[in-house]
Structure formats: C-alpha cells, structure tokens
Amino acid sequence: MKMRLGILGADDTLDLILSVVHAYPEIECLPIVYDAEGEIFERLGPHADEADMWLFSGQVPYAMVKEWGRIKKPMAYVPHTGASLYRTLLHLSHEKKLAADELSYDTIPPGELAHMLEEAGIAAGRLWLKSYEGAISADELADYHEALWREGKTKAAVTCLRTAQLELKRRGVPVYRVLPTRAGVESVIGMLLRTHEMLQFKDTQIAVQMIELETPGMTGGEAADPSEGGVLELIEEKLLRYAKQLHGSLKTAGTGRYVIFTTRGILREWTCDFSAAPRPEELAGFADGRFTCGIGIGRTAGEAEIHAGTALLHAKESGPGSWMVFFDDKRIAGPLGKGEQITFSGASDQLRELSRHTSLSVQTLSKLKSILKKRGSAEINAHELAMHMQILPRSARRILIELEAKGIARVSGEESPHPRGRPRKVYRIEL
C-alpha cells in the first residue's frame, strides 16, 4: 500500500524534495508550495486530511503547523544540517572569498555551527548567529542580518529561510541560501517510511469497545429491568449493525453491557484519531438513554479487553455518556470529544510512590499531573480542578487538602471570582 506524503515548502526546497521522493515508487506525493508564511494555513487547510504523513521544508513551517494543531497525522521537517551549511561555506570561500566570521547566520544550533567549523578546520573569530526554536518571521531574520551588514560587522548573510532570503534581496543585502542536502532529505524520507510501516502494524492491533448502556428506565448503576427486554433487544440490534460497520464482532457481557472486538486502525478513523466519540447512525434514537464506553488497545484480545474495562471505569467517573481509551503503552485519554480532554499515564513509578504516601490513586495523581502540564502552570484551585477532572468541587477540594497535608501542595494565594463570592484558595502543586 502506497504512503500518501503531503509535502509543503518554499519553491526551491520543494523542488529538491520532490526530486528525491520521485525515486521512491512506494510514495505518492501531495506537493504544496507557498511564497510567504502567511499563506501556509490557507494553502494547507483544504488538504489537511488528505495525506498519511506530512513533510515540511524546514523548521519554521513545521513549527507553525504544529502550533496550528489541525494536522493529526505524523509530521517531520528536513533539517538544515552541518553538511548543508558546509556546502554553502565552501562555495562562499572559494567563489566569493568570504571568511566564516564575515558572515551572519540563522537557524543552525550554536553548538552545531561551532562544531562544524572546527571539524572543517575553519578558524573563525566571533560568529554572528540568530538561533531560535519554533517559528520566526522572515522580517525578524532579515532585520537581524541587515543591521549587522549596515553596521559593517558582516559582508553577507547566510539564511536557511527562503522568505528571509527574498526579503534580504529586496533590501539590497548580499544573501546566500542554505539548502538541505539530498542525503538529508533521503534520511527523513527513510524515517517516514519506517514510521508508516510501524503505524500500519499498529492499526492491526486488537481494539475492544466496552459499552455500558443506561436505557430510559435505568439510572446510573442500576441493572436493566427484564420488562425492558424489548428496549434491550432493539439496542442490541443497533449495536450489531454498528459492530458490522467496524468490521468487528459483538458479544454480551451482562445486562446492559456489550463488548465489540475490532482493530485499532478502524477505531482510529471512527474517533478521528481518538479525539472524538463516534456518533453512528445505528445508535441514533436513544437520546433519552446514554451509553458510556471504554476503548482498550492491546497486543492480545485479552489485554485489550482488560484495558477496555479499565477505560470504562474512568469513563464512568467522568459521567454518563463519556468515552475513554486505554492504549497499549499505558496511556489513558479522554473523555473523547470533550473540551477538557486530557491524556495521562496509567503507570508511573514516581506516581506509585506518591500514591503510597497519600489516599489518592495513581490514576488520580496521573490525571492531576496531565492537567497541570496542559495548563502550563503548577497552580490550580478546586473549581478548576473539578472542571478538568469532571468531578464535584468538594471532591476536588478533598484532593487538594490531602496533597497539602502530605506536603505535596501548598496554598499560594486566593482569588475572588465574584465581588461577593467566597475567595478560592489557589494551590501550588509539586508532584
């Protein structure tokens, strides 16, 4: 099966990448060219879901798209390695008679630049380098290079960004472009092919959906009344049709509880890469009732079923109608489709040790760790914790008080959400 590879890049780099990729018959290309960074989302948007993987011509478009968050498939970019820069410097030294310390550089990590010059036996004084992480604008890079050139500190600029090169040319600054090497492109292509093979294998893993139904005459935790057999029969009929759509099999695991065996790849498509709860037409018509689901992924059917049961317990904690997934690497994610979806680890030596010193489970501590990471802050109040964990505020307060008693949390301040409301304690948590 061919890999459909989306490739987004500036004109010159895109041509180079395509010339390499065309040598791989197992790859089908979806090339997209952009002239300015501001065009990236507009050009990429209509094709976001059309590729199995995405390759970007450099760090900047990759970082921008990653932050954008619309691409759910694996992504990579072609790095500007030392070999790429060495080729440019060789040209400048022999053809233009420019020394390494007469140039300004960007993008290359500082350590890599110094190491490359040392290995090449190039003696350099002070090096002018604009290194950065993530994305950066062409104007910011152009400003950096132009200022050094106009002050007489450099004689030319060496940039890895095509749009910065064009902007510097427009300003009259001598500029040279660092292009990736064919070997660098081939290395990334090889990595993407191996990743694609691994994902295809993972898609064949066993996946189990454990569904617990709350019919119109049932309340949370109650067993179904036998008199509701007609309703349950109708539900089973709909679930059977749903299982067939998943190319799976259905079995009953007790009154009101069902298990569907299918594959990871099929469920990944139905759940938009495990980010949303599927709403198949076969289950429509039960708005008065609810179905809570745990999805388990495993190396064997037995392992997947155990994981599904654990995921179902977490889903029930999040409330009726929730969906959670337990992956084979012990990560737990959910509730699927909810704004406050989190991913946490089901196993951690550090958290197990903390659990032994508190009354809190590893899962609760892992959820808390994931929430703090997602918020980008170690501080949280009970109301916020309750919202993220989908629990009552009083339960959240008990968690925070327990952590405070064990020295894992401390009150760092108070905040008043309303002029007449009670102040809420803000806790700083050190897991």
Side-chain angles (χ1 to χ4, degrees):
M1 182 179 178
K2 282 193 172 185
M3 176 179 79
R4 187 162 172 78
L5 180 64
I7 307 172
L8 183 139
D11 52 1
D12 54 354
T13 318
L14 189 64
D15 289 342
L16 171 64
I17 294 172
L18 288 174
S19 71
V20 174
V21 174
H22 285 156
Y24 292 82
E26 63 269 46
I27 298 178
E28 179 183 338
C29 292
L30 172 61
I32 299 174
V33 66
Y34 72 90
D35 298 316
E37 279 71 29
E39 303 173 354
I40 288 178
F41 303 141
E42 181 183 350
R43 298 281 178 93
L44 186 59
H47 308 285
D49 301 319
E50 295 179 10
D52 299 316
M53 294 188 173
W54 283 94
L55 177 61
F56 300 92
S57 62
Q59 174 182 330
V60 170
Y62 169 83
M64 291 176 64
V65 173
K66 185 177 182 181
E67 187 176 346
W68 184 42
R70 281 279 309 279
I71 300 293
K72 303 302 181 183
K73 301 297 177 64
M75 301 187 299
Y77 67 90
V78 180
H80 292 80
T81 61
S84 307
L85 180 61
Y86 183 73
R87 183 178 59 186
T88 304
L89 289 180
L90 193 62
H91 166 73
L92 293 178
S93 174
H94 285 270
E95 301 294 329
K96 305 298 180 181
K97 308 304 180 186
L98 291 172
D101 52 8
E102 294 177 316
L103 305 166
S104 56
Y105 309 86
D106 62 48
T107 308
I108 308 291
E112 186 172 331
L113 176 60
H115 181 67
M116 189 277 296
L117 293 174
E118 182 182 347
E119 278 198 334
I122 298 175
R126 177 168 182 177
L127 294 175
W128 304 99
L129 172 64
K130 179 74 170 179
S131 190
Y132 55 90
E133 293 184 2
I136 194 169
S137 71
D139 283 339
E140 185 176 346
L141 286 183
D143 290 344
Y144 170 77
H145 290 295
E146 183 184 18
L148 291 169
W149 178 71
R150 293 198 181 281
E151 291 168 10
K153 295 176 180 176
T154 61
K155 294 183 179 180
V158 176
T159 182
C160 297
L161 193 65
R162 172 63 164 165
T163 49
Q165 178 196 23
L166 295 174
E167 178 60 22
L168 285 165
K169 279 186 175 181
R170 190 189 66 79
R171 300 183 187 187
V173 179
V175 58
Y176 300 92
R177 170 97 151 99
V178 179
L179 282 170
T181 61
R182 293 184 67 86
V185 176
E186 288 172 354
S187 176
V188 177
I189 295 296
M191 180 271 293
L192 289 174
L193 283 170
R194 291 191 297 273
T195 303
H196 185 244
E197 291 173 4
M198 179 194 70
L199 291 176
Q200 284 187 311
F201 171 75
K202 290 184 76 172
D203 278 349
T204 64
Q205 283 183 300
I206 297 292
V208 172
Q209 281 183 272
M210 192 169 288
I211 299 173
E212 191 167 282
L213 288 151
E214 183 182 336
T215 63
M218 297 164 63
T219 57
E222 286 187 8
D225 191 290
S227 64
E228 295 169 339
V231 174
L232 292 177
E233 284 178 11
L234 183 58
I235 289 173
E236 287 180 20
E237 184 181 333
K238 286 178 173 286
L239 281 172
L240 186 59
R241 290 202 296 269
Y242 170 53
K244 285 182 178 178
Q245 283 211 359
L246 296 176
H247 302 285
S249 60
L250 174 72
K251 81 170 187 179
T252 304
T255 305
R257 180 176 287 192
Y258 305 89
V259 177
I260 296 175
F261 292 86
T262 181
T263 65
R264 178 180 187 149
I266 291 174
L267 269 187
R268 180 173 57 79
E269 291 182 8
W270 274 79
T271 59
C272 300
D273 202 16
F274 301 104
S275 65
R279 298 298 178 196
E281 293 181 6
E282 284 70 24
L283 299 182
F286 286 92
D288 295 331
R290 293 175 177 175
F291 54 97
T292 305
C293 179
I295 297 174
I297 311 294
R299 290 163 293 182
T300 65
E303 183 181 71
E305 194 166 1
I306 291 170
H307 289 174
T310 304
L312 179 61
L313 291 175
H314 285 285
K316 291 168 74 173
E317 287 179 4
S318 298
S322 297
W323 289 57
M324 300 287 288
V325 57
F326 193 133
F327 294 100
D328 56 327
D329 61 1
K330 309 304 179 185
R331 287 179 302 117
I332 302 171
L336 303 186
K338 301 291 180 68
E340 300 305 326
Q341 178 174 328
I342 58 172
T343 301
F344 55 95
S345 172
S348 163
D349 292 339
Q350 178 198 18
L351 296 183
R352 274 195 288 267
E353 183 66 24
L354 286 176
S355 179
R356 281 195 287 269
H357 289 85
T358 67
S359 62
L360 305 175
S361 67
V362 172
Q363 285 77 17
T364 296
L365 291 168
S366 190
K367 283 182 183 179
L368 177 59
K369 184 176 182 179
S370 177
I371 289 165
L372 296 176
K373 183 178 179 181
K374 183 177 180 180
R375 285 166 51 86
S377 171
E379 296 188 342
I380 195 168
N381 63 44
H383 178 78
E384 293 166 335
L385 181 60
M387 180 181 65
H388 283 283
M389 279 195 167
Q390 304 286 305
I391 59 178
L392 295 173
R394 64 171 176 270
S395 300
R397 278 193 289 273
R398 281 199 295 269
I399 292 173
L400 293 171
I401 290 170
E402 170 73 6
L403 292 173
E404 184 185 16
K406 300 300 181 180
I408 300 169
R410 60 180 175 81
V411 177
S412 61
E414 290 185 342
E415 56 186 17
S416 299
H418 305 290
R420 297 185 180 181
R422 288 181 57 188
R424 292 173 179 167
K425 291 182 178 180
V426 178
Y427 290 81
R428 184 170 185 84
I429 301 171
E430 303 292 345
L431 289 177

